[in-house]
Amino acid sequence: MTAIAFPAPDATILARRGEIIAGLTQLVPAECLVTSDIEMRVFETDALTAYRRMPLAVVLPRNTQEVSAILRYCNDLHVPVIPRGAGTSLSGGAIPQEDAVVIGVAKMNRILEVDTFNRFIRVEAGVTNLGVSNAIVAEGFFYAPDPSSQLACTIGGNVGMNSGGAHCLKYGVTSNNVLGVKMVLMDGEIVEVGGPGPDHPGFDLLGFIVGSEGQLGIVTEATLRILPIAEGARPVLFGFASSEIAGACVAAIIAAGIIPVAMEFMDKAAVAICEAFAGAGYPLHVEALLIIEVEGSETEMDAQLAQIIAIAQQHEVQVIRQSQSAMEAAQIWKGRKSAFGATGRVADYICMDGTVPTGQLSYVLKRTGEIVKEYGLRVANVFHAGDGNMHPLIMYNVNDPKEQEKAEAAGNDILKLCVDVGGCLTGEHGVGIEKRDLMRHQYADVDLQQQMRVRAAFDEAWLLNPAKVFPLDGRVMG
Amino acid sequence: MTDFFPTSEAEAAAFISDCAAAGKTIRILGGGTRARLARDIAADAQLSTQNLTGVTLYEPAEMVISARSGTPVREVLALIDQHNQMLPFEPLDHRTLLATTGEPTMGGLAATNASGPRRIYAGAARDHLIGARFVNGRGEIVKSGGRVMKNVTGLDLVKVHCGAYGTLGLLTEVTFKLRPKPERVATLIYKRLDEASAIRLLGEALGSPFEITGAAYLPIGHGRDFSRALLRIEGFDASVSYRIDELRRRFAAYATPREALEGPDADRLWRAVRDVEFLSAPAEAPLWRLSVKPSDAAACVAHLRAIDGARYFYDLGGGLIWFTDPSGQNAALIRDTLAAMNGHATLVRGPDALRQAVPPFSPLPAAQEKLMRSVKHAFDPQRLINPDLMYPGL
Ligand SMILES: Cc1cc2nc3c(=O)[nH]c(=O)nc-3n(C[C@H](O)[C@H](O)[C@H](O)COP(=O)(O)OP(=O)(O)OC[C@H]3O[C@@H](n4cnc5c(N)ncnc54)[C@H](O)[C@@H]3O)c2cc1C
């Protein structure tokens, strides 16, 4: 796999590998250092597995002080650093390079403070997304952003990617749910930004930090907004004769003033794949399927569902399946949540992630089908319909370099289409290495330069995750 | 000082570009309703957005609106109201409080992160600003974000403008996401609770699954001769009825609220909370905005209550305390009290002498201040736009 370029490693750094590792040994105990090829193999790539690079070394510090010491050391030696959570990035955001030290937050996985009265939780960056909700479920609270990878992905990675999930339609993405972070800058300086309570003085630096893909610093702690769990939640399945009608139904629900907790869309191909894997009872004959979830008390859910069903009926809905029990509800979600894994069993695939204005959904779906077909490939679509965040899964054979190239080219065409209809290149998976070279399609040079100047304000020498997000040429430094 | 009223983004950019070439500083003015917030500054020129008006995109089905920055907030609210939509963060109107006239603008709203009581449920303006166009201190037109709900393409340059008071550039167009207006709004009023119990009630209610969208406490003398704890519930008719019943039942030990307040009286009450009307007179009395964790709110006030003539009320479940110190002599005590509780105190209003003596915003830790300066430099290297407005030298 060769289409995405990596910068040539700095030979002077490679030559000093032994010395650098010896230096790191002074900063952390041996159990925090990974340097053998065999052990480093896990860190060679993330969930964009078509690309891999062996790093110089991997460090797994235990606390903020250690992160600070390692960063200061790397900064002094001018060694690039790759921040890493669980490595589930789909855009290659956590893929290393040969002359860089990976700093992983996996060992920093303590819950530091639970405060349900003030409705926040403070955790170390290595706590998993699900770990946060698990820590507070007994008290009737949860953490809202719920990426499908929530079992594995870390809060640090969520902050890095501004992750979302099915329930973000109502509750927003990571940036709407992070109150503050403790972060170490490349020069080792520790800064605290935000915190519980409103109106922190100074610029809203959290706005930059969330979604910065490891470019501004390493997050070691986060203070997160937590929410009371609704009394009940109930998903309903709707099957439609076409994607256009399903899309129109989504728009009509919103126009009626209803914001469900989730509105997930699957096309026929995705339904078949997920059903074969999860046995969720999905109807196989429909062209488009919506999973709409409402929450509240039984009375409230009944009232809201009655409205939603009435709207669906005006849109010639073919199948309506209401879950009658918690188990049935879990089944419905299991099919959707396993979409990525289930597709992986059928074929290798790349998962695209663009956002479009919801009014453009059916057009973009149609064009996506055509584009992929032109390349002689297949596609399945599962996505967050309420906020227009699309996920075409383009299937190909990983052992055929030609097919891989085609898949990537088709993906690029689709992402450009998303931008052209008024959307963007990525709604939640980030730019990483994957979409780095498409950035100029969405942004003019001045826009990118302004972003890069901000980036350089945090990391002057451009050492943090350097090959990601911005095109490799034309970089602006301070 | 020269005044400039650009009629287009291009004209505004050309003006700022010329200023940059000549090293001239610029003060940015929206409707001027918050002109006396933050620090007084002297600038060579003043740029008003008064002619940069007009809604440029409104898609009700997509719940998104874009407007040029000088567009009156009132116009936007009137337009979206026709489609039963709202700005979810309930922007406040400071004119009564600050005794200013003029027309709050969309740019000023974004630049000041203006957000009212619903913020506790829906988030602040920054949480709903999804796109912006602005002119930086180099005179370059920059765009970031867009009109879609989810966008993580590159660094987000949008949110940082909220609460930067124009120090990072002139916003020329802002794009907000909207929400449907609730079908029904009702307010439960718990009378005669002491402060500690009231704040406990607000916190427990906010921790319940009933989606409280307003939680305020008005001590005696704020419109009534008894204290009132307010809980606002919004949504579909059936939901609101159900939630009112549940809340009454669950929190019966605190007090029994009468019939929930609905309609114009309730709207007026929340507007008064939002716009801080209770503390608007006397017009020059120094007014502070105190932010603390709600669980510390009552203790915080207990420290400050002895201040001569002190008046205050709580919003955001106790996390926000509006506080007047009529003599203006207690700035240090106020700042120290809040700092000891990891909170913040912002001076919102005061006579000139006080505003010159006391920095409006809480001081920042050194590391953060340094970072702020490099961020300012990234947007406005010559420090031309609203220089010194937030902090001296910034
Ligand atoms: C099966 C599957 C399903 C997925 N579903 C979703 C989904 O529904 N929604 C969604 O948004 N994403 C989804 N993702 C993508 C991915 O899980 C998210 O981007 C996640 O937030 C990454 O977390 P991580 O801990 O694995 O971070 P990593 O992959 O290790 O890193 C992600 C980025 O953050 C940076 N980073 C990591 N830790 C830190 C830190 N402590 N400080 C600073 N920067 C840091 C890295 O440098 C990198 O740029 C999915 C991925 C998979 C494999």
Side-chain angles (χ1 to χ4, degrees), chain A residues 118 170 199 231 300 428 443, chain B residues 153 211 242-243 289 295:
Chain A
N118 294 306
K170 178 170 175 193
D199 298 318
E231 286 172 277
E300 291 175 296
E428 57 182 20
Y443 293 112
Chain B
T153 323
E211 300 189 348
Y242 168 78
R243 290 174 181 195
R289 209 186 136 88
S295 58

Side-chain angles (χ1 to χ4, degrees), chain A residues 146 166-167 233-236 261-264 278 280 282 291-293 327-339:
Chain A
D146 57 342
H167 292 89
R234 210 190 294 157
V236 181
V261 221
M263 280 205 268
E264 298 287 295
Y282 290 173
I291 299 173
I292 299 185
E293 181 158 284
M327 217 173 72
E328 279 181 38
Q331 263 317 88
I332 289 179
W333 275 117
K334 187 179 170 214
R336 165 63 184 89
K337 290 242 172 192
S338 57

Side-chain angles (χ1 to χ4, degrees), chain B residues 68-129:
Chain B
R68 293 200 186 89
S69 57
T71 312
V73 176
R74 184 175 43 85
E75 263 177 49
V76 167
L77 293 179
L79 176 64
I80 62 179
D81 193 59
Q82 290 170 16
H83 293 267
N84 243 327
Q85 294 184 335
M86 62 180 184
L87 291 170
F89 46 90
E90 207 176 5
L92 45 68
D93 184 342
H94 267 16
R95 280 175 291 187
T96 320
L97 185 67
L98 301 176
T100 49
T101 52
E103 194 61 61
T105 63
M106 293 302 286
L109 175 152
T112 56
N113 197 26
S115 320
R118 201 184 287 101
R119 171 180 194 170
I120 199 167
Y121 171 73
R126 61 91 74 185
D127 291 296
H128 299 86
L129 186 70

Side-chain angles (χ1 to χ4, degrees), chain A residues 28-348:
Chain A
V28 288
E31 83 250 24
C32 296
L33 208 53
V34 181
T35 55
S36 76
D37 273 10
I38 295 177
E39 286 177 310
M40 286 201 301
R41 201 151 303 279
V42 212
F43 299 93
E44 235 186 355
T45 186
D46 51 21
L48 189 68
T49 49
Y51 293 85
R52 42 190 79 225
R53 289 289 184 279
M54 194 61 96
L56 198 70
V58 178
V59 197
L60 303 171
R62 296 166 303 176
N63 54 51
T64 306
Q65 298 311 327
E66 285 181 356
V67 173
S68 167
I70 301 158
L71 281 179
R72 180 165 296 133
Y73 177 75
C74 291
N75 195 48
D76 290 347
L77 268 65
H78 226 76
V79 173
V81 165
I82 314 292
R84 184 179 178 103
T88 66
S89 166
L90 289 163
S91 60
I95 286 179
Q97 54 193 54
E98 294 90 334
D99 57 4
V101 171
V102 169
I103 301 185
V105 292
K107 282 193 200 290
M108 301 174 56
N109 55 8
R110 287 177 309 158
I111 308 273
L112 300 172
E113 189 180 357
V114 175
D115 185 339
T116 52
F117 184 82
N118 294 306
R119 297 180 309 289
F120 72 86
I121 184 169
R122 197 160 55 84
V123 301
E124 288 184 332
V127 174
T128 62
N129 176 290
L130 198 59
V132 174
S133 284
N134 284 344
I136 48 182
V137 64
E139 278 143 302
F141 285 81
F142 75 112
Y143 175 60
D146 57 342
S148 307
S149 52
Q150 64 187 151
L151 191 65
C153 66
T154 66
I155 289 301
N158 290 176
V159 170
M161 288 307 191
N162 192 10
S163 301
H167 292 89
C168 291
L169 179 59
K170 178 170 175 193
Y171 297 113
V173 290
T174 299
S175 72
N176 305 120
N177 291 281
V178 175
L179 302 171
V181 296
K182 184 183 272 190
M183 185 170 89
V184 188
L185 303 180
M186 189 63 213
D187 63 4
E189 184 94 66
I190 298 166
V191 288
E192 290 195 46
V193 180
D199 298 318
H200 288 267
F203 293 152
D204 187 344
L205 299 177
L206 266 183
F208 288 141
I209 294 164
V210 179
S212 60
E213 307 197 21
Q215 303 261 309
L216 304 185
I218 295 193
V219 173
T220 58
E221 283 178 27
T223 303
L224 310 170
R225 182 166 85 118
I226 58 174
L227 299 171
I229 297 173
E231 286 172 277
R234 210 190 294 157
V236 181
L237 268 186
F238 295 95
F240 294 90
S242 78
S243 297
E244 284 81 3
I245 304 178
C249 182
V250 168
I253 290 170
I254 289 174
I258 306 169
I259 308 273
V261 221
M263 280 205 268
E264 298 287 295
F265 183 111
M266 302 170 81
D267 69 4
K268 190 170 190 158
V271 169
I273 288 169
C274 295
E275 179 60 19
F277 176 79
Y282 290 173
L284 295 171
H285 63 284
V286 299
E287 288 297 318
L289 187 145
L290 290 178
I291 299 173
I292 299 185
E293 181 158 284
V294 296
E295 43 172 49
S297 65
E298 288 301 319
T299 344
E300 291 175 296
M301 291 193 290
D302 286 344
Q304 247 198 69
L305 278 178
Q307 271 183 297
I308 291 173
I309 288 170
I311 294 170
Q313 276 160 348
Q314 285 156 21
H315 289 80
E316 299 152 43
V317 64
Q318 295 187 324
V319 176
I320 301 177
R321 182 157 307 146
Q322 301 201 47
S323 57
Q324 307 297 340
S325 66
M327 217 173 72
E328 279 181 38
Q331 263 317 88
I332 289 179
W333 275 117
K334 187 179 170 214
R336 165 63 184 89
K337 290 242 172 192
S338 57
F340 291 1
T343 309
R345 296 200 326 164
V346 179
D348 308 306

